[in-house]
Amino acid sequence: MRLFSVLILGSIAALSTPARGAAPAAVTRVLRAIDFEERRLGNSEELPMHWKKLDGEGMPHYVNGRLDAGRAHSGQYSFRFDLNGGSLVYRYAPGKIRVQPGAHYRVECLVRTTVLPNARARLSAMLTDADGHVLSGTTRHSEPYAALREQDDWQRLSVELSADDPGQEAFLVIELGLLQPAMFTPTVLGDRAIFPQDIRGTAWFDDVSVCQVPRVELSTERPGNIFYRDDIPRLLIDVNDRSTDDLAAQLVIRDADGRTVYQRSGALDDSAAQTPSPGRKKVSLLLPELVPGWYEAALVMTSQGQSLGEQALDLVLLAEPREAIAPDGRFGIIATDLPFEGWSELPEILPVLGAGRVKLSVWSEAGDVQNVDPAAFDQLLERLGELGITPTACLSALPPELADKLGGDSSLVALSRAEKTDWQQKLSFLISRHANHLDRWQLGRDGTDAFVTQPAMREVYRKVYRQFSALMDSPDLAMPWPAWYEMDGELPATVALAVPPSVLPEQLPLYMQDLRGRQGHNLSLSLQPLDRRRYGRQRQLRDLAQRVVYALAADARRIDLPLPFAVKRKDDQIVKQPDEMLLVIRTLIATLGNAEFRGRVPIAEDVEAFLFERAGTGILVAWDRGGSAKVRRLQLNLGKRPMRIDLFGNAAALVRPLASHAGADAMAAGARGEKPPEGIEIEIGPMPIFLVDIDAQAAQLRASVAFDRPLIESSFQAHTRRLRFINPYATAIGGTVKLIPPAGWSLSPSVQTFTLNPGEKFDRELTIQFPYNNLAGPKAITAEFLVQGERNIAFTVPVMLNLGLSDVGMQTLALRDGNDVVVQQMITNYGDHPIDYTAFAIYPNQARQERLVTKLGPGHTTIKRYRFSGVSIAAGTAVRTGLKELVGTRILNDEVPIQ
C-alpha cells in the first residue's frame, strides 16, 4: 500500500507542481462572480444589473424575474423566477466577459426550485462575436433540474465551453432559464408535439461564476470503463490549458451512495507526467484497491485555493475474473438511443452483460445507417453474429433526407400520407442488404404510445409489414405497445410490450397472459426501471431484479432491458458512463441465463423464493417481501459448493451443517420423536439474493407441496383438503410428513407416510378444523418432511391456506376522534345471490355493537359505522370486527389498528 501511495501522490503531483515562470500568487482564474448582492451597490431596481429578459415564442411578456431577499444560497439576495405559464429566460449582457483564444471556461450557478412536475431550471452559456451574434456550435446547456421535494437543497448547475478559434474576438454570455418541456425536450413530432406545462412554479438562482479552467479529460483503457477482478484499474488524465503552472489536483473516489471512499492529493516530483505540447500534461494513474461495485472518480482542480470545478468519470469493478458468459437470447439490451458513433464498443460491452440480443436504431433523426457508415455496420453485424448476439433493427424515426421529402416531419406517422416512391426503395434496400444478418425488426421506439393515440400508425405498420413480406417469409416486425392499454384489433407479428414502473413486479404475468399462447405472435417485454431520484438507489435496483425474476417465472422469451450507460455527446465525442444497473443486469443474466423456472418454493413467512435449474444445478432467488432484513434459519438442502451471490455479483460460500450426515441425523432424531436439526442461517432482506448450487430435486420437492384449494371458507365446521407433492427424483423415495397447524387448529391425520416412484404424485385427503373466532387472512401449516432416497434429507415447508369467504369482502377502518373511536366497515357481496349477515365491532372493555346486513344484492356494497365514546386509547390498541351469517355457520373475523 505504501508503494501505491507514492505512485498516486507522484501522479497527482505531476499535475500540480509549479514549473519555472509560475503565475504570480495574485493571479485569479475567476473572470466574473455574480452574487446578486446589489443593494449595497446602489441598485434599487427589481431586476439585477446587466440582465435582460429574452422575448420569443412560448415566453410571455408578463412573466418576469426579480431580486428576492426571501431565499439565498449565500448573502441575502437571489435572482427569483416566477412562472405564470410559458417559459422565462434572462441573458447576461453580451460584451461583458471577454475570452482568450485557446482557453477553456466553466460557468456555474446554484439553483433551488419548488416542486415542478414538468418545468425545469437550466443554465446555458455561449460565445458571441463583438456584435453579440452567437458563434455557431458554442452553445452549451446544463442538465435541466427541478426539485422532487420541497426540502430539496440548492443544486449546482454547470457547463463548460472552449474558445477554439484563435483568430476571432469572442465574449462569453450566460443565460438563466425556467423552461417548460417544449423548450428542452427532444421530439420527432415537430409542431404536432403536445407538451404538458406547469402554470405555477418558482426557481431561485444564486452565486453565478465564470472561471477560466483547464480542459481535463478522464478516460480508461477499458471499453465502457468496466474492469474485471483481475484487471489493474488505471485512470488516464489529460490536462490541457494555456498555463498549468498554477494548478493543483485532488483525486476523490465516491461509491454508489455518494460516500467518499478514497481521497488523495499531494506534491512530489514532475517525473510521472508526459508533456506532449506546451500547456498539456498526460498522466496514467493507478486506482486504489476497491471492493467490487460502481464508483465515481473525480479530479478536483484548484488554482491558489480557488475551485475550478471537477471532472468525473464513472467506472465499474466486477466481482468476477475475466470469463465469458454464454449469451442468453431471452435477454436483450435497448440501445436505440445510442448514436452511430457509439456502436463500435458494443461487441466488447454486450458479452460482459451476457445479453443475447441488442436493439439498434438503423433509422432515426440522426440519419440512415446506410448513409452514415454502411461498411462499419456490416462489420458490426458480423462481429455480433460471431458472439451469438442477435440484433434487432429499429426504425425509430424517419431519417432527415426522408423527413425533408415529407415537410420536415420525422415522426413515423408521416409515412401514412407518403407515397410509396418516397420511402419504399430506401427501406427495401436496407432490408435486402442485411437480410443475412438481420431477421428481427421493430417499428418505433420502445415505450411510445403512438400506435394507441394515433390510429394512422396502425396503417403505417401494415404498409411497412407488407414491404417486409415481399422480401422475406413471416417477417418478425415488432410494434411497441404500452402495457397500460388493452391490445385490440389485428395483432402484429411481435408485440414489444413496454411495462412502466407503475406496474408492480408481481403483476407482470397478468400483462403477459393476454398474448400468451397465440400462434404466430411473439411477445417481448421492455422493462423500465424506477426513477432513482424519486424512489432511491436500493429500491430501483431491487425492483428491476424482481421484475426480471417474475418475467422469467412467467416464461418470458424476450426481456429487453435499458442500456446501463448514461450516454451523452460532449463536443464531438460520445461519452458513455456505466450505470450501477450494469452490475445488477450482469448478475441477473450470468446467474439466471439459460436457466429454466421450476417453481416457487415456500421457505418462510414473508419470503419470496423462485427456483431455477441449469444443467442439473439449482438456483434459488429469494427476498423478504416484508421489507426488513432478518437472519433466518432456513431448511435448505445444499449442493457440493453452495454459494450466496448478491445483486452486485459478490459471492460468498454458504456454511453447511457441521455433520456431513445431517440428513441421517435428522432421520434418527425423527425416530426418537425429536425435532429435526434446524438448517443453515442466512440473512434475507428486500434485495434479492441468489443461492447457487443447491439440491435442485429437493427444492423442486419443496416447491410442489401445496393444498388443492388454498382458500378455506371461514365457517364453523370441518373442512377437507388434499395435500399434494411430487417426487422429482430419478429414483423412488419414501418417508413421513408431519403437519403442524396454527394454535387452536386440528388436523386429521397429522402424520402420513409415503412411498413414491419417480414422477409420482402424493395426493391424500385430510380434515381441518379451526376456532370460531379465528381472524381471516393467510395461515401457515408447517409440514416437516423426513425423506429416504439415494440420500436422506429433512426439511420444513410452510404450506399456506387463506382463511376467508369466497363471495363476501370486508374492509375496515378505525379512526381516533378525540376520546372516541369511529369504525367504518365496508361490506361487498361478490356472489350471485343476496346475503344476510350480522356485522359487529368489538372494542376492549366496551359493549359489542352490531348492525344488520340484510338482502344485500350481488355486486352491491354497504357501509356500517360504529362509535365507541369516551374510551381509553392505549398504544397498539386494535378493534375487532366481523360478519356472522344470520342462518348458517359462516363467519368472518378481522382486527384493525386504530389510526
Side-chain angles (χ1 to χ4, degrees):
M1 192 66 186
R2 181 179 178 184
L3 175 61
F4 168 77
S5 298
V6 172
L7 288 172
I8 192 168
L9 281 169
S11 299
I12 293 181
L15 302 177
S16 57
T17 303
R20 294 181 181 178
V27 172
T28 177
R29 288 175 173 262
V30 180
L31 276 69
R32 191 63 47 97
I34 306 171
D35 59 8
F36 299 109
E37 304 300 316
E38 300 180 4
R39 294 293 186 243
R40 66 173 184 263
L41 302 177
N43 179 24
S44 60
E45 302 292 332
E46 284 198 343
L47 189 66
M49 295 184 295
H50 308 305
W51 291 89
K52 181 180 179 181
K53 179 184 168 185
L54 297 189
D55 298 323
E57 184 179 357
M59 293 185 286
H61 66 88
Y62 52 81
V63 179
N64 296 290
R66 58 186 173 88
L67 286 171
D68 181 29
R71 183 169 295 185
H73 176 259
S74 64
Q76 183 179 357
Y77 289 90
S78 65
F79 195 2
R80 173 172 174 162
F81 289 29
D82 289 307
L83 289 181
N84 187 10
S87 299
L88 180 59
V89 179
Y90 275 86
R91 174 179 288 179
Y92 195 70
K96 295 290 184 180
I97 307 174
R98 185 190 299 272
V99 298
Q100 297 296 323
H104 191 64
Y105 296 90
R106 182 180 182 90
V107 183
E108 290 186 342
C109 74
L110 277 299
V111 66
R112 191 168 186 176
T113 75
T114 56
V115 175
L116 299 170
N118 303 299
R120 296 291 184 268
R122 190 175 73 178
L123 167 70
S124 301
M126 62 216 66
L127 299 180
T128 68
D129 60 19
D131 296 324
H133 300 122
V134 176
L135 300 181
S136 176
T138 65
T139 302
R140 300 289 184 266
H141 302 293
S142 72
E143 292 292 327
Y145 168 77
L148 296 177
R149 298 167 296 273
E150 289 291 349
Q151 63 269 28
D152 283 356
D153 207 349
W154 291 84
Q155 174 76 16
R156 187 177 301 276
L157 303 181
S158 65
V159 294
E160 294 190 9
L161 67 169
S162 299
D164 292 325
D165 190 346
Q168 185 171 21
E169 184 181 33
F171 298 86
L172 191 147
V173 173
I174 309 166
E175 287 183 358
L176 303 178
L178 184 55
L179 311 176
Q180 301 290 357
M183 302 284 286
F184 61 84
T185 304
T187 179
V188 299
L189 298 180
D191 295 338
R192 297 176 178 81
I194 299 176
F195 295 99
Q197 285 200 16
D198 290 333
I199 302 302
R200 301 294 182 187
T202 300
W204 293 265
F205 293 90
D206 202 357
D207 292 337
V208 181
S209 65
V210 181
C211 297
Q212 190 264 304
V213 298
R215 182 183 302 182
V216 180
E217 293 183 4
L218 301 183
S219 62
T220 69
E221 301 167 321
R222 296 288 306 154
N225 304 334
I226 304 169
F227 295 93
Y228 290 93
R229 189 178 66 193
D230 48 5
D231 287 335
I232 301 177
R234 191 185 305 272
L235 191 65
L236 305 179
I237 307 172
D238 191 337
V239 180
N240 192 353
D241 196 36
R242 299 177 68 248
S243 173
T244 61
D245 296 336
D246 63 323
L247 297 179
Q250 181 185 59
L251 177 67
V252 180
I253 299 179
R254 306 181 184 96
D255 65 11
D257 289 318
R259 297 185 299 244
T260 298
V261 297
Y262 187 85
Q263 181 172 310
R264 180 70 70 177
S265 60
L268 292 177
D269 66 306
D270 198 32
S271 59
Q274 301 176 10
T275 308
S277 60
R280 185 178 180 191
K281 292 184 179 181
K282 299 182 72 174
V283 173
S284 176
L285 184 64
L286 292 176
L287 296 180
E289 295 180 5
L290 300 168
V291 298
W294 177 94
Y295 294 95
E296 178 192 64
L299 194 68
V300 182
M301 306 297 295
T302 59
S303 172
Q304 302 165 9
Q306 172 67 43
S307 173
L308 303 180
E310 68 177 45
Q311 295 294 324
L313 176 142
D314 300 338
L315 55 92
V316 165
L317 303 181
L318 301 178
E320 307 90 346
R322 188 184 302 273
E323 59 182 16
I325 301 177
D328 187 338
R330 293 177 299 180
F331 293 99
I333 298 297
I334 304 172
T336 48
D337 290 333
L338 184 65
F340 299 128
E341 304 95 306
W343 291 6
S344 59
E345 286 187 338
L346 287 175
E348 300 291 334
I349 292 174
L350 294 176
V352 175
L353 298 172
R357 294 180 296 106
V358 63
K359 290 185 176 181
L360 300 170
S361 289
V362 295
W363 273 13
S364 69
E365 303 91 334
D368 179 349
V369 69
Q370 293 303 124
N371 297 335
V372 177
D373 195 342
F377 186 51
D378 289 337
Q379 295 173 4
L380 174 67
L381 294 178
E382 292 177 2
R383 182 69 179 127
L384 292 176
E386 294 170 357
L387 296 170
I389 299 172
T390 302
T392 298
C394 298
L395 308 175
S396 301
L398 300 185
E401 59 271 22
L402 183 52
D404 291 343
K405 293 182 180 180
L406 304 177
D409 187 357
S410 59
S411 64
L412 292 171
V413 73
L415 292 179
S416 64
R417 56 183 183 273
E419 299 294 334
K420 278 188 176 183
T421 54
D422 293 330
W423 60 273
Q424 190 178 47
Q425 184 177 358
K426 178 180 285 290
L427 180 59
S428 297
F429 180 74
L430 180 65
I431 297 170
S432 57
R433 169 163 181 167
H434 302 292
N436 293 333
H437 295 99
L438 286 177
D439 58 359
R440 295 185 182 180
W441 298 75
Q442 180 170 306
L443 187 64
R445 285 187 171 90
D446 287 282
T448 179
D449 60 358
F451 289 94
V452 177
T453 59
Q454 302 179 60
M457 281 297 293
R458 290 295 194 99
E459 178 57 32
V460 170
Y461 180 88
R462 284 189 284 268
K463 280 185 175 183
V464 175
Y465 187 82
R466 284 195 294 269
Q467 188 62 29
F468 273 89
S469 299
L471 299 171
M472 62 177 66
D473 294 330
S474 302
D476 189 343
L477 179 63
M479 173 193 292
W481 193 268
W484 54 90
Y485 290 104
E486 185 176 351
M487 193 78 192
D488 57 359
E490 182 183 355
L491 286 178
T494 300
V495 177
L497 196 67
V499 183
S502 57
V503 174
L504 298 177
E506 57 268 28
Q507 296 173 334
L508 268 174
L510 299 177
Y511 286 86
M512 295 171 57
Q513 66 185 11
D514 290 341
L515 291 166
R516 185 184 300 278
R518 299 202 188 186
Q519 295 296 324
H521 300 283
N522 301 311
L523 172 66
S524 70
L525 293 177
S526 170
L527 301 184
Q528 302 174 21
L530 293 172
D531 184 346
R532 175 172 290 205
R533 288 183 59 205
R534 175 167 296 180
Y535 296 99
R537 163 182 170 256
Q538 296 276 345
R539 187 173 175 185
Q540 182 201 51
L541 298 178
R542 76 169 183 256
D543 179 84
L544 179 70
Q546 291 171 5
R547 289 175 188 276
V548 171
V549 172
Y550 275 105
L552 288 175
D555 196 30
R557 308 316 296 175
R558 300 183 188 180
I559 303 172
D560 294 316
L561 301 168
L563 180 70
F565 286 87
V567 180
K568 58 184 178 182
R569 187 180 294 275
K570 184 177 181 180
D571 298 333
D572 295 329
Q573 295 182 337
I574 299 299
V575 179
K576 296 189 292 296
Q577 300 277 35
D579 190 275
E580 190 184 16
M581 199 176 294
L582 183 146
L583 290 162
V584 175
I585 292 176
R586 172 184 163 84
T587 302
L588 285 165
I589 300 178
T591 309
L592 300 179
N594 302 300
E596 295 297 327
F597 177 64
R598 297 303 183 200
R600 297 173 72 165
V601 181
I603 290 182
E605 184 179 359
D606 287 334
V607 172
E608 289 282 9
F610 293 76
L611 175 65
F612 295 84
E613 184 180 6
R614 180 173 59 198
T617 299
I619 305 166
L620 198 68
V621 189
W623 65 85
D624 187 338
R625 62 174 175 264
S628 60
K630 299 178 182 178
V631 176
R632 299 176 181 267
R633 191 174 291 275
L634 303 181
Q635 293 285 334
L636 294 177
N637 301 95
L638 307 176
K640 296 180 180 179
R641 295 176 300 276
M643 300 292 291
R644 177 191 187 275
I645 302 176
D646 66 16
L647 271 185
F648 308 103
N650 298 296
L654 284 173
V655 180
R656 291 185 285 176
L658 294 177
S660 59
H661 303 290
D665 294 342
M667 296 293 294
R672 296 191 301 268
E674 300 174 0
K675 190 174 181 180
E678 287 292 329
I680 66 170
E681 281 190 350
I682 189 167
E683 185 175 306
I684 297 182
M687 296 290 278
I689 62 170
F690 305 88
L691 305 179
V692 180
D693 200 15
I694 65 173
D695 188 328
Q697 285 72 34
Q700 287 183 59
L701 175 58
R702 294 171 60 99
S704 67
V705 179
F707 288 111
D708 60 334
R709 288 173 291 155
L711 176 65
I712 186 168
E713 287 286 316
S714 181
S715 59
F716 194 59
Q717 62 183 21
H719 301 268
T720 59
R721 291 293 184 271
R722 303 189 72 85
L723 179 67
R724 294 171 176 171
F725 56 87
I726 298 174
N727 174 18
Y729 290 92
T731 59
I733 61 172
T736 62
V737 54
K738 180 181 179 181
L739 301 177
I740 303 174
W745 289 42
S746 64
L747 304 176
S748 180
S750 60
V751 179
Q752 301 199 44
T753 60
F754 59 87
T755 301
L756 299 175
N757 291 318
E760 187 177 356
K761 178 187 288 187
F762 177 92
D763 188 347
R764 293 185 192 170
E765 188 176 84
L766 67 151
T767 302
I768 303 174
Q769 291 183 302
F770 48 84
Y772 192 71
N773 61 347
N774 232 220
L775 296 178
K779 307 294 178 181
I781 295 178
T782 303
E784 293 184 348
F785 279 82
L786 299 175
V787 181
Q788 294 174 312
E790 289 184 346
R791 62 188 183 89
N792 299 330
I793 61 173
F795 58 88
T796 300
V797 180
V799 191
M800 302 306 298
L801 286 172
N802 193 33
L803 183 62
L805 297 178
S806 59
D807 57 351
V808 180
M810 180 178 68
Q811 292 180 320
T812 307
L813 180 66
L815 300 173
R816 180 172 181 168
D817 183 16
N819 291 326
D820 296 354
V821 173
V822 179
V823 180
Q824 179 173 287
Q825 194 179 36
M826 188 164 63
I827 303 160
T828 304
N829 181 2
Y830 295 115
D832 54 7
H833 57 83
I835 59 173
D836 298 292
Y837 279 82
T838 298
F840 62 87
I842 303 174
Y843 189 84
N845 302 319
Q846 296 293 312
R848 173 189 178 111
Q849 297 186 25
E850 296 185 349
R851 306 285 188 269
L852 286 176
V853 179
T854 57
K855 301 188 185 310
L856 182 64
H860 289 199
T861 298
T862 185
I863 296 176
K864 301 299 178 182
R865 294 182 176 87
Y866 313 81
R867 179 180 287 271
F868 297 92
S869 302
V871 297
S872 174
I873 305 174
T877 303
V879 176
R880 189 183 185 92
T881 64
L883 295 170
K884 182 182 180 302
E885 202 171 25
L886 286 177
V887 179
T889 61
R890 308 176 84 209
I891 188 171
L892 188 64
N893 292 286
D894 194 10
E895 194 172 70
V896 294
I898 298 173
Q899 299 183 18

